[in-house]
mmCIF file of all heavy atoms in Angstrom:
data_model
loop_
_atom_site.group_PDB
_atom_site.id
_atom_site.type_symbol
_atom_site.label_atom_id
_atom_site.label_comp_id
_atom_site.label_asym_id
_atom_site.label_seq_id
_atom_site.Cartn_x
_atom_site.Cartn_y
_atom_site.Cartn_z
ATOM 1 N N ASP U 325 -92.402 97.538 6.460
ATOM 2 C CA ASP U 325 -92.488 96.351 7.191
ATOM 3 C C ASP U 325 -92.416 95.109 6.316
ATOM 4 O O ASP U 325 -91.891 94.071 6.706
ATOM 5 C CB ASP U 325 -93.751 96.275 7.992
ATOM 6 C CG ASP U 325 -93.756 95.125 8.983
ATOM 7 O OD1 ASP U 325 -92.809 95.004 9.918
ATOM 8 O OD2 ASP U 325 -94.624 94.220 8.795
ATOM 9 N N ARG U 341 -93.976 100.613 9.762
ATOM 10 C CA ARG U 341 -93.927 100.251 11.135
ATOM 11 C C ARG U 341 -93.087 101.328 11.807
ATOM 12 O O ARG U 341 -91.971 101.628 11.350
ATOM 13 C CB ARG U 341 -93.124 98.909 11.387
ATOM 14 C CG ARG U 341 -93.086 98.463 12.823
ATOM 15 C CD ARG U 341 -92.231 97.168 12.901
ATOM 16 N NE ARG U 341 -90.848 97.373 12.701
ATOM 17 C CZ ARG U 341 -90.131 96.994 11.650
ATOM 18 N NH1 ARG U 341 -90.760 96.209 10.746
ATOM 19 N NH2 ARG U 341 -88.831 97.203 11.623
ATOM 20 N N SER U 345 -93.631 100.307 17.389
ATOM 21 C CA SER U 345 -94.140 98.973 16.864
ATOM 22 C C SER U 345 -95.574 98.973 16.478
ATOM 23 O O SER U 345 -96.327 98.020 16.540
ATOM 24 C CB SER U 345 -93.890 97.865 17.885
ATOM 25 O OG SER U 345 -92.488 97.673 18.057
ATOM 26 N N TYR U 347 -98.451 99.953 13.307
ATOM 27 C CA TYR U 347 -98.476 99.789 11.922
ATOM 28 C C TYR U 347 -99.470 100.702 11.264
ATOM 29 O O TYR U 347 -100.545 100.956 11.750
ATOM 30 C CB TYR U 347 -98.760 98.299 11.527
ATOM 31 C CG TYR U 347 -97.741 97.312 12.028
ATOM 32 C CD1 TYR U 347 -97.865 96.744 13.221
ATOM 33 C CD2 TYR U 347 -96.683 96.847 11.150
ATOM 34 C CE1 TYR U 347 -96.890 95.887 13.679
ATOM 35 C CE2 TYR U 347 -95.789 96.020 11.559
ATOM 36 C CZ TYR U 347 -95.862 95.457 12.850
ATOM 37 O OH TYR U 347 -95.053 94.460 13.289
ATOM 38 N N GLU U 367 -87.610 96.755 5.629
ATOM 39 C CA GLU U 367 -86.635 97.370 6.489
ATOM 40 C C GLU U 367 -85.945 98.528 5.992
ATOM 41 O O GLU U 367 -85.029 99.114 6.630
ATOM 42 C CB GLU U 367 -85.593 96.346 7.001
ATOM 43 C CG GLU U 367 -86.193 95.189 7.778
ATOM 44 C CD GLU U 367 -87.115 95.587 9.008
ATOM 45 O OE1 GLU U 367 -86.755 96.522 9.696
ATOM 46 O OE2 GLU U 367 -88.211 95.026 9.037
ATOM 47 N N LYS U 413 -88.155 87.066 10.504
ATOM 48 C CA LYS U 413 -88.170 88.086 11.639
ATOM 49 C C LYS U 413 -89.289 87.769 12.630
ATOM 50 O O LYS U 413 -89.204 88.257 13.810
ATOM 51 C CB LYS U 413 -88.291 89.479 11.074
ATOM 52 C CG LYS U 413 -89.637 89.818 10.450
ATOM 53 C CD LYS U 413 -89.633 91.178 9.820
ATOM 54 C CE LYS U 413 -90.870 91.646 9.177
ATOM 55 N NZ LYS U 413 -90.730 92.932 8.562
ATOM 56 N N HIS U 414 -90.277 86.942 12.321
ATOM 57 C CA HIS U 414 -91.300 86.652 13.357
ATOM 58 C C HIS U 414 -91.027 85.327 14.005
ATOM 59 O O HIS U 414 -91.856 84.860 14.763
ATOM 60 C CB HIS U 414 -92.681 86.642 12.638
ATOM 61 C CG HIS U 414 -93.077 87.986 12.083
ATOM 62 N ND1 HIS U 414 -93.308 89.125 13.003
ATOM 63 C CD2 HIS U 414 -93.285 88.430 10.886
ATOM 64 C CE1 HIS U 414 -93.582 90.152 12.235
ATOM 65 N NE2 HIS U 414 -93.672 89.656 10.958
ATOM 66 N N LEU U 426 -81.779 93.334 14.285
ATOM 67 C CA LEU U 426 -82.954 93.286 13.447
ATOM 68 C C LEU U 426 -84.160 92.643 14.183
ATOM 69 O O LEU U 426 -85.286 93.028 14.019
ATOM 70 C CB LEU U 426 -82.576 92.439 12.168
ATOM 71 C CG LEU U 426 -81.561 93.074 11.181
ATOM 72 C CD1 LEU U 426 -81.329 92.125 10.065
ATOM 73 C CD2 LEU U 426 -81.989 94.460 10.741
ATOM 74 N N GLN U 427 -83.776 91.640 14.917
ATOM 75 C CA GLN U 427 -84.833 90.956 15.653
ATOM 76 C C GLN U 427 -85.525 91.892 16.756
ATOM 77 O O GLN U 427 -86.697 91.817 16.911
ATOM 78 C CB GLN U 427 -84.234 89.684 16.404
ATOM 79 C CG GLN U 427 -85.284 88.674 16.932
ATOM 80 C CD GLN U 427 -84.681 87.480 17.509
ATOM 81 O OE1 GLN U 427 -83.571 87.579 18.201
ATOM 82 N NE2 GLN U 427 -85.321 86.331 17.375
ATOM 83 N N LEU U 428 -84.667 92.841 17.331
ATOM 84 C CA LEU U 428 -85.173 93.669 18.332
ATOM 85 C C LEU U 428 -86.165 94.670 17.778
ATOM 86 O O LEU U 428 -86.923 95.350 18.479
ATOM 87 C CB LEU U 428 -84.055 94.370 18.974
ATOM 88 C CG LEU U 428 -83.233 93.417 19.926
ATOM 89 C CD1 LEU U 428 -82.043 94.347 20.575
ATOM 90 C CD2 LEU U 428 -84.003 92.830 21.046
ATOM 91 N N ARG U 429 -86.225 94.804 16.420
ATOM 92 C CA ARG U 429 -87.073 95.838 15.885
ATOM 93 C C ARG U 429 -88.633 95.270 15.894
ATOM 94 O O ARG U 429 -89.488 96.068 15.759
ATOM 95 C CB ARG U 429 -86.759 96.047 14.356
ATOM 96 C CG ARG U 429 -85.445 96.781 14.057
ATOM 97 C CD ARG U 429 -85.234 96.986 12.610
ATOM 98 N NE ARG U 429 -83.898 97.488 12.402
ATOM 99 C CZ ARG U 429 -83.345 97.674 11.173
ATOM 100 N NH1 ARG U 429 -84.113 97.324 10.043
ATOM 101 N NH2 ARG U 429 -82.102 98.138 11.004
ATOM 102 N N GLN U 430 -88.709 93.991 16.151
ATOM 103 C CA GLN U 430 -90.061 93.384 16.079
ATOM 104 C C GLN U 430 -90.850 93.752 17.319
ATOM 105 O O GLN U 430 -90.317 93.918 18.391
ATOM 106 C CB GLN U 430 -90.017 91.898 15.871
ATOM 107 C CG GLN U 430 -89.298 91.525 14.563
ATOM 108 C CD GLN U 430 -89.815 92.340 13.330
ATOM 109 O OE1 GLN U 430 -91.004 92.330 13.069
ATOM 110 N NE2 GLN U 430 -88.944 93.102 12.672
ATOM 111 N N PRO U 431 -92.180 93.828 17.168
ATOM 112 C CA PRO U 431 -93.071 94.287 18.240
ATOM 113 C C PRO U 431 -92.855 93.487 19.589
ATOM 114 O O PRO U 431 -92.873 94.063 20.646
ATOM 115 C CB PRO U 431 -94.447 94.119 17.725
ATOM 116 C CG PRO U 431 -94.280 94.253 16.206
ATOM 117 C CD PRO U 431 -92.908 93.682 15.904
ATOM 118 N N TYR U 432 -92.677 92.183 19.509
ATOM 119 C CA TYR U 432 -92.550 91.357 20.741
ATOM 120 C C TYR U 432 -91.420 91.840 21.498
ATOM 121 O O TYR U 432 -91.528 91.998 22.784
ATOM 122 C CB TYR U 432 -92.534 89.906 20.370
ATOM 123 C CG TYR U 432 -92.183 89.098 21.556
ATOM 124 C CD1 TYR U 432 -93.161 88.726 22.516
ATOM 125 C CD2 TYR U 432 -90.883 88.528 21.775
ATOM 126 C CE1 TYR U 432 -92.855 87.994 23.640
ATOM 127 C CE2 TYR U 432 -90.540 87.824 22.896
ATOM 128 C CZ TYR U 432 -91.593 87.452 23.818
ATOM 129 O OH TYR U 432 -91.241 86.700 24.940
ATOM 130 N N TYR U 433 -90.236 92.022 20.916
ATOM 131 C CA TYR U 433 -89.046 92.409 21.604
ATOM 132 C C TYR U 433 -89.049 93.879 22.043
ATOM 133 O O TYR U 433 -88.512 94.217 23.043
ATOM 134 C CB TYR U 433 -87.798 92.068 20.771
ATOM 135 C CG TYR U 433 -87.620 90.672 20.556
ATOM 136 C CD1 TYR U 433 -88.103 90.012 19.357
ATOM 137 C CD2 TYR U 433 -87.083 89.808 21.504
ATOM 138 C CE1 TYR U 433 -87.908 88.610 19.186
ATOM 139 C CE2 TYR U 433 -86.954 88.496 21.373
ATOM 140 C CZ TYR U 433 -87.359 87.845 20.179
ATOM 141 O OH TYR U 433 -87.278 86.545 19.992
ATOM 142 N N GLN U 434 -89.622 94.690 21.238
ATOM 143 C CA GLN U 434 -89.845 96.087 21.604
ATOM 144 C C GLN U 434 -90.690 96.201 22.832
ATOM 145 O O GLN U 434 -90.344 96.881 23.842
ATOM 146 C CB GLN U 434 -90.570 96.862 20.463
ATOM 147 C CG GLN U 434 -89.681 97.043 19.242
ATOM 148 C CD GLN U 434 -88.765 98.245 19.388
ATOM 149 O OE1 GLN U 434 -89.131 99.343 19.910
ATOM 150 N NE2 GLN U 434 -87.485 98.124 19.038
#
Side-chain angles (χ1 to χ4, degrees):
D325 188 63
R341 185 186 72 249
S345 296
Y347 297 86
E367 299 307 316
K413 67 185 181 184
H414 296 297
L426 295 179
Q427 192 177 37
L428 290 180
R429 293 179 188 175
Q430 299 313 304
Y432 172 75
Y433 294 98
Q434 289 280 317

